[in-house]
Amino acid sequence: MNQYKVNVPEGQSGIWKVEKFTVSAEDEKWGQLRAAISSSSRGRYVPRGTYTKLTRNNSIVMTDTPDEIRDHLGAIYKAYGHILINGLGLGVVLQ
């Protein structure tokens, strides 16, 4: 999944912000525990590492975490020829 991590610089424009965040080994373990006991998580958690997030009014809009990248793999793998991509995110599909 690392090949899809974005290289977007941190910054802010009005209510929009791009910033890096780090998930520690302890955060990962707690995430795995929550994923194991919560039916709503569908087994999703964020592995330790450094990621990028896009927020609007401090609410996360998108990240480049492995699960979020996996959500876009269908479009990434099926894309060929001339393609128009639009959206409001970090550019994971473009990457």
Side-chain angles (χ1 to χ4, degrees):
M1 292 293 144
N2 280 340
Q3 71 266 30
Y4 297 109
K5 288 184 74 162
V6 299
N7 188 17
V8 177
E10 292 184 294
Q12 184 169 352
S13 179
I15 59 174
W16 294 91
K17 186 187 293 187
V18 173
E19 57 190 338
K20 302 289 185 192
F21 68 100
T22 300
V23 175
S24 69
E26 186 172 333
D27 294 335
E28 177 184 18
K29 287 179 187 175
W30 281 110
Q32 288 174 322
L33 179 60
R34 277 191 302 276
I37 61 175
S38 170
S39 61
S40 64
S41 73
R42 301 183 332 256
R44 295 167 67 115
Y45 70 94
V46 181
R48 73 188 90 178
T50 301
Y51 302 97
T52 306
K53 66 181 175 181
L54 171 66
T55 61
R56 180 180 184 270
N57 282 334
N58 296 318
S59 294
I60 295 175
V61 175
M62 183 171 188
T63 68
D64 63 353
T65 58
D67 281 330
E68 189 138 12
I69 291 170
R70 241 180 252 107
D71 290 343
H72 295 83
L73 286 180
I76 292 168
Y77 289 147
K78 291 179 182 180
Y80 66 93
H82 295 95
I83 301 166
L84 173 64
I85 300 172
N86 65 33
L88 182 59
L90 290 170
V92 168
V93 174
L94 289 174
Q95 185 72 23

